PDB file of all heavy atoms in Angstrom:
ATOM      1  N   ALA B 277      15.085 -69.826  75.768  1.00 96.00           N
ATOM      2  CA  ALA B 277      15.919 -69.358  74.654  1.00 96.00           C
ATOM      3  C   ALA B 277      15.289 -68.188  73.907  1.00 96.00           C
ATOM      4  O   ALA B 277      16.002 -67.375  73.316  1.00 96.00           O
ATOM      5  CB  ALA B 277      16.181 -70.502  73.678  1.00 96.00           C
ATOM      6  N   THR B 278      13.971 -68.101  73.915  1.00 96.00           N
ATOM      7  CA  THR B 278      13.302 -67.004  73.225  1.00 96.00           C
ATOM      8  C   THR B 278      12.953 -65.854  74.165  1.00 96.00           C
ATOM      9  O   THR B 278      12.345 -64.864  73.740  1.00 96.00           O
ATOM     10  CB  THR B 278      12.012 -67.511  72.532  1.00 96.00           C
ATOM     11  OG1 THR B 278      11.152 -68.111  73.501  1.00 96.00           O
ATOM     12  CG2 THR B 278      12.355 -68.520  71.453  1.00 96.00           C
ATOM     13  N   GLU B 279      13.338 -65.993  75.422  1.00 95.00           N
ATOM     14  CA  GLU B 279      13.131 -64.920  76.401  1.00 95.00           C
ATOM     15  C   GLU B 279      14.423 -64.183  76.701  1.00 95.00           C
ATOM     16  O   GLU B 279      14.475 -63.350  77.609  1.00 95.00           O
ATOM     17  CB  GLU B 279      12.546 -65.510  77.691  1.00 95.00           C
ATOM     18  CG  GLU B 279      11.148 -66.097  77.509  1.00 95.00           C
ATOM     19  CD  GLU B 279      10.697 -66.918  78.695  1.00 95.00           C
ATOM     20  OE1 GLU B 279      11.528 -67.129  79.621  1.00 95.00           O
ATOM     21  OE2 GLU B 279       9.541 -67.368  78.699  1.00 95.00           O
ATOM     22  N   SER B 280      15.487 -64.493  75.967  1.00 95.00           N
ATOM     23  CA  SER B 280      16.795 -63.879  76.189  1.00 95.00           C
ATOM     24  C   SER B 280      17.552 -63.859  74.872  1.00 95.00           C
ATOM     25  O   SER B 280      17.101 -64.430  73.875  1.00 95.00           O
ATOM     26  CB  SER B 280      17.595 -64.668  77.242  1.00 95.00           C
ATOM     27  OG  SER B 280      17.739 -66.025  76.835  1.00 95.00           O
ATOM     28  N   ASP B 281      18.695 -63.209  74.861  1.00 97.00           N
ATOM     29  CA  ASP B 281      19.478 -63.098  73.632  1.00 97.00           C
ATOM     30  C   ASP B 281      20.966 -63.076  73.942  1.00 97.00           C
ATOM     31  O   ASP B 281      21.394 -62.512  74.962  1.00 97.00           O
ATOM     32  CB  ASP B 281      19.130 -61.803  72.880  1.00 97.00           C
ATOM     33  CG  ASP B 281      17.753 -61.840  72.253  1.00 97.00           C
ATOM     34  OD1 ASP B 281      17.605 -62.531  71.233  1.00 97.00           O
ATOM     35  OD2 ASP B 281      16.837 -61.200  72.792  1.00 97.00           O
ATOM     36  N   GLY B 282      21.745 -63.668  73.041  1.00 97.00           N
ATOM     37  CA  GLY B 282      23.187 -63.528  73.076  1.00 97.00           C
ATOM     38  C   GLY B 282      23.887 -64.148  74.258  1.00 97.00           C
ATOM     39  O   GLY B 282      24.997 -63.748  74.604  1.00 97.00           O
ATOM     40  N   LEU B 283      23.279 -65.153  74.902  1.00 98.00           N
ATOM     41  CA  LEU B 283      23.887 -65.758  76.077  1.00 98.00           C
ATOM     42  C   LEU B 283      24.764 -66.948  75.696  1.00 98.00           C
ATOM     43  O   LEU B 283      24.638 -67.532  74.623  1.00 98.00           O
ATOM     44  CB  LEU B 283      22.810 -66.183  77.067  1.00 98.00           C
ATOM     45  CG  LEU B 283      21.925 -65.067  77.613  1.00 98.00           C
ATOM     46  CD1 LEU B 283      20.888 -65.621  78.579  1.00 98.00           C
ATOM     47  CD2 LEU B 283      22.757 -63.983  78.288  1.00 98.00           C
ATOM     48  N   PHE B 284      25.656 -67.308  76.615  1.00 97.00           N
ATOM     49  CA  PHE B 284      26.586 -68.420  76.449  1.00 97.00           C
ATOM     50  C   PHE B 284      26.180 -69.494  77.453  1.00 97.00           C
ATOM     51  O   PHE B 284      26.311 -69.305  78.652  1.00 97.00           O
ATOM     52  CB  PHE B 284      28.016 -67.918  76.697  1.00 97.00           C
ATOM     53  CG  PHE B 284      29.081 -68.965  76.555  1.00 97.00           C
ATOM     54  CD1 PHE B 284      29.163 -69.769  75.438  1.00 97.00           C
ATOM     55  CD2 PHE B 284      30.046 -69.109  77.547  1.00 97.00           C
ATOM     56  CE1 PHE B 284      30.163 -70.715  75.301  1.00 97.00           C
ATOM     57  CE2 PHE B 284      31.062 -70.049  77.426  1.00 97.00           C
ATOM     58  CZ  PHE B 284      31.113 -70.864  76.296  1.00 97.00           C
ATOM     59  N   TRP B 285      25.681 -70.634  76.969  1.00 97.00           N
ATOM     60  CA  TRP B 285      25.037 -71.620  77.822  1.00 97.00           C
ATOM     61  C   TRP B 285      25.893 -72.867  78.012  1.00 97.00           C
ATOM     62  O   TRP B 285      26.655 -73.265  77.146  1.00 97.00           O
ATOM     63  CB  TRP B 285      23.706 -72.062  77.213  1.00 97.00           C
ATOM     64  CG  TRP B 285      22.691 -70.978  77.070  1.00 97.00           C
ATOM     65  CD1 TRP B 285      22.640 -70.024  76.090  1.00 97.00           C
ATOM     66  CD2 TRP B 285      21.567 -70.725  77.918  1.00 97.00           C
ATOM     67  NE1 TRP B 285      21.549 -69.198  76.277  1.00 97.00           N
ATOM     68  CE2 TRP B 285      20.870 -69.611  77.392  1.00 97.00           C
ATOM     69  CE3 TRP B 285      21.072 -71.343  79.063  1.00 97.00           C
ATOM     70  CZ2 TRP B 285      19.719 -69.104  77.971  1.00 97.00           C
ATOM     71  CZ3 TRP B 285      19.921 -70.847  79.649  1.00 97.00           C
ATOM     72  CH2 TRP B 285      19.253 -69.735  79.102  1.00 97.00           C
ATOM     73  N   HIS B 286      25.723 -73.476  79.173  1.00 96.00           N
ATOM     74  CA  HIS B 286      26.280 -74.798  79.440  1.00 96.00           C
ATOM     75  C   HIS B 286      25.400 -75.463  80.488  1.00 96.00           C
ATOM     76  O   HIS B 286      25.085 -74.839  81.513  1.00 96.00           O
ATOM     77  CB  HIS B 286      27.722 -74.699  79.946  1.00 96.00           C
ATOM     78  CG  HIS B 286      28.303 -76.017  80.381  1.00 96.00           C
ATOM     79  ND1 HIS B 286      28.405 -77.095  79.522  1.00 96.00           N
ATOM     80  CD2 HIS B 286      28.805 -76.437  81.571  1.00 96.00           C
ATOM     81  CE1 HIS B 286      28.956 -78.111  80.172  1.00 96.00           C
ATOM     82  NE2 HIS B 286      29.191 -77.749  81.413  1.00 96.00           N
ATOM     83  N   ASP B 287      24.975 -76.679  80.214  1.00 96.00           N
ATOM     84  CA  ASP B 287      24.088 -77.417  81.123  1.00 96.00           C
ATOM     85  C   ASP B 287      22.877 -76.584  81.544  1.00 96.00           C
ATOM     86  O   ASP B 287      22.560 -76.432  82.734  1.00 96.00           O
ATOM     87  CB  ASP B 287      24.865 -77.916  82.347  1.00 96.00           C
ATOM     88  CG  ASP B 287      25.726 -79.134  82.019  1.00 96.00           C
ATOM     89  OD1 ASP B 287      25.616 -79.655  80.892  1.00 96.00           O
ATOM     90  OD2 ASP B 287      26.522 -79.538  82.876  1.00 96.00           O
ATOM     91  N   ARG B 288      22.214 -76.043  80.529  1.00 96.00           N
ATOM     92  CA  ARG B 288      20.933 -75.345  80.668  1.00 96.00           C
ATOM     93  C   ARG B 288      20.982 -74.073  81.514  1.00 96.00           C
ATOM     94  O   ARG B 288      19.936 -73.605  81.989  1.00 96.00           O
ATOM     95  CB  ARG B 288      19.860 -76.300  81.229  1.00 96.00           C
ATOM     96  CG  ARG B 288      19.647 -77.558  80.397  1.00 96.00           C
ATOM     97  CD  ARG B 288      18.401 -78.321  80.812  1.00 96.00           C
ATOM     98  NE  ARG B 288      18.283 -79.583  80.075  1.00 96.00           N
ATOM     99  CZ  ARG B 288      17.239 -80.388  80.136  1.00 96.00           C
ATOM    100  NH1 ARG B 288      16.193 -80.065  80.921  1.00 96.00           N
ATOM    101  NH2 ARG B 288      17.213 -81.514  79.456  1.00 96.00           N
ATOM    102  N   ARG B 289      22.152 -73.528  81.686  1.00 96.00           N
ATOM    103  CA  ARG B 289      22.279 -72.248  82.390  1.00 96.00           C
ATOM    104  C   ARG B 289      23.220 -71.328  81.618  1.00 96.00           C
ATOM    105  O   ARG B 289      24.207 -71.786  81.048  1.00 96.00           O
ATOM    106  CB  ARG B 289      22.841 -72.443  83.803  1.00 96.00           C
ATOM    107  CG  ARG B 289      21.894 -73.051  84.809  1.00 96.00           C
ATOM    108  CD  ARG B 289      22.547 -73.084  86.182  1.00 96.00           C
ATOM    109  NE  ARG B 289      21.700 -73.710  87.183  1.00 96.00           N
ATOM    110  CZ  ARG B 289      20.750 -73.083  87.876  1.00 96.00           C
ATOM    111  NH1 ARG B 289      20.532 -71.798  87.663  1.00 96.00           N
ATOM    112  NH2 ARG B 289      20.036 -73.738  88.777  1.00 96.00           N
ATOM    113  N   PRO B 290      22.938 -70.025  81.612  1.00 96.00           N
ATOM    114  CA  PRO B 290      23.887 -69.092  80.996  1.00 96.00           C
ATOM    115  C   PRO B 290      25.152 -68.992  81.839  1.00 96.00           C
ATOM    116  O   PRO B 290      25.087 -69.012  83.073  1.00 96.00           O
ATOM    117  CB  PRO B 290      23.118 -67.764  80.964  1.00 96.00           C
ATOM    118  CG  PRO B 290      22.072 -67.897  82.024  1.00 96.00           C
ATOM    119  CD  PRO B 290      21.717 -69.349  82.109  1.00 96.00           C
ATOM    120  N   ARG B 291      26.296 -68.894  81.176  1.00 96.00           N
ATOM    121  CA  ARG B 291      27.590 -68.815  81.843  1.00 96.00           C
ATOM    122  C   ARG B 291      28.314 -67.529  81.432  1.00 96.00           C
ATOM    123  O   ARG B 291      28.051 -66.972  80.365  1.00 96.00           O
ATOM    124  CB  ARG B 291      28.458 -70.018  81.457  1.00 96.00           C
ATOM    125  CG  ARG B 291      27.783 -71.370  81.641  1.00 96.00           C
ATOM    126  CD  ARG B 291      27.569 -71.700  83.091  1.00 96.00           C
ATOM    127  NE  ARG B 291      26.774 -72.933  83.260  1.00 96.00           N
ATOM    128  CZ  ARG B 291      26.393 -73.408  84.427  1.00 96.00           C
ATOM    129  NH1 ARG B 291      26.711 -72.777  85.548  1.00 96.00           N
ATOM    130  NH2 ARG B 291      25.672 -74.522  84.489  1.00 96.00           N
ATOM    131  N   PRO B 292      29.259 -67.081  82.248  1.00 94.00           N
ATOM    132  CA  PRO B 292      30.093 -65.948  81.831  1.00 94.00           C
ATOM    133  C   PRO B 292      30.879 -66.323  80.577  1.00 94.00           C
ATOM    134  O   PRO B 292      31.229 -67.491  80.377  1.00 94.00           O
ATOM    135  CB  PRO B 292      31.026 -65.732  83.027  1.00 94.00           C
ATOM    136  CG  PRO B 292      30.366 -66.419  84.183  1.00 94.00           C
ATOM    137  CD  PRO B 292      29.610 -67.571  83.602  1.00 94.00           C
ATOM    138  N   THR B 293      31.163 -65.350  79.744  1.00 94.00           N
ATOM    139  CA  THR B 293      31.978 -65.620  78.556  1.00 94.00           C
ATOM    140  C   THR B 293      33.463 -65.479  78.836  1.00 94.00           C
ATOM    141  O   THR B 293      34.287 -65.918  78.033  1.00 94.00           O
ATOM    142  CB  THR B 293      31.595 -64.685  77.404  1.00 94.00           C
ATOM    143  OG1 THR B 293      31.716 -63.325  77.841  1.00 94.00           O
ATOM    144  CG2 THR B 293      30.159 -64.938  76.962  1.00 94.00           C
ATOM    145  N   THR B 294      33.805 -64.876  79.965  1.00 91.00           N
ATOM    146  CA  THR B 294      35.211 -64.772  80.374  1.00 91.00           C
ATOM    147  C   THR B 294      35.307 -65.010  81.877  1.00 91.00           C
ATOM    148  O   THR B 294      34.348 -64.777  82.618  1.00 91.00           O
ATOM    149  CB  THR B 294      35.811 -63.388  80.058  1.00 91.00           C
ATOM    150  OG1 THR B 294      35.083 -62.376  80.772  1.00 91.00           O
ATOM    151  CG2 THR B 294      35.757 -63.089  78.566  1.00 91.00           C
ATOM    152  N   TYR B 295      36.479 -65.465  82.315  1.00 85.00           N
ATOM    153  CA  TYR B 295      36.777 -65.642  83.736  1.00 85.00           C
ATOM    154  C   TYR B 295      38.106 -64.967  84.047  1.00 85.00           C
ATOM    155  O   TYR B 295      38.992 -64.884  83.172  1.00 85.00           O
ATOM    156  CB  TYR B 295      36.875 -67.125  84.098  1.00 85.00           C
ATOM    157  CG  TYR B 295      35.566 -67.861  84.091  1.00 85.00           C
ATOM    158  CD1 TYR B 295      35.429 -69.063  83.412  1.00 85.00           C
ATOM    159  CD2 TYR B 295      34.464 -67.367  84.793  1.00 85.00           C
ATOM    160  CE1 TYR B 295      34.221 -69.748  83.418  1.00 85.00           C
ATOM    161  CE2 TYR B 295      33.260 -68.048  84.802  1.00 85.00           C
ATOM    162  CZ  TYR B 295      33.147 -69.239  84.109  1.00 85.00           C
ATOM    163  OH  TYR B 295      31.953 -69.913  84.121  1.00 85.00           O
ATOM    164  N   PRO B 296      38.284 -64.494  85.275  1.00 78.00           N
ATOM    165  CA  PRO B 296      39.560 -63.843  85.637  1.00 78.00           C
ATOM    166  C   PRO B 296      40.777 -64.731  85.409  1.00 78.00           C
ATOM    167  O   PRO B 296      41.857 -64.238  85.078  1.00 78.00           O
ATOM    168  CB  PRO B 296      39.371 -63.531  87.126  1.00 78.00           C
ATOM    169  CG  PRO B 296      37.892 -63.430  87.312  1.00 78.00           C
ATOM    170  CD  PRO B 296      37.306 -64.445  86.378  1.00 78.00           C
ATOM    171  N   ILE B 297      40.594 -66.059  85.586  1.00 75.00           N
ATOM    172  CA  ILE B 297      41.755 -66.943  85.431  1.00 75.00           C
ATOM    173  C   ILE B 297      41.992 -67.331  83.973  1.00 75.00           C
ATOM    174  O   ILE B 297      42.968 -68.006  83.658  1.00 75.00           O
ATOM    175  CB  ILE B 297      41.587 -68.234  86.265  1.00 75.00           C
ATOM    176  CG1 ILE B 297      40.331 -69.004  85.805  1.00 75.00           C
ATOM    177  CG2 ILE B 297      41.522 -67.912  87.752  1.00 75.00           C
ATOM    178  CD1 ILE B 297      40.188 -70.359  86.455  1.00 75.00           C
ATOM    179  N   GLY B 298      41.117 -66.908  83.074  1.00 77.00           N
ATOM    180  CA  GLY B 298      41.281 -67.215  81.664  1.00 77.00           C
ATOM    181  C   GLY B 298      42.017 -66.116  80.932  1.00 77.00           C
ATOM    182  O   GLY B 298      42.835 -65.387  81.504  1.00 77.00           O
ATOM    183  N   ALA B 299      41.698 -65.968  79.658  1.00 82.00           N
ATOM    184  CA  ALA B 299      42.403 -64.992  78.826  1.00 82.00           C
ATOM    185  C   ALA B 299      41.926 -63.567  79.063  1.00 82.00           C
ATOM    186  O   ALA B 299      42.586 -62.618  78.651  1.00 82.00           O
ATOM    187  CB  ALA B 299      42.226 -65.353  77.354  1.00 82.00           C
TER     188      ALA B 299
END
Side-chain angles (χ1 to χ4, degrees):
T278 57
E279 295 168 354
S280 57
D281 289 286
L283 299 180
F284 180 51
W285 298 79
H286 174 59
D287 284 353
R288 303 192 185 187
R289 287 184 182 275
R291 308 291 173 183
T293 56
T294 61
Y295 289 130
I297 60 173

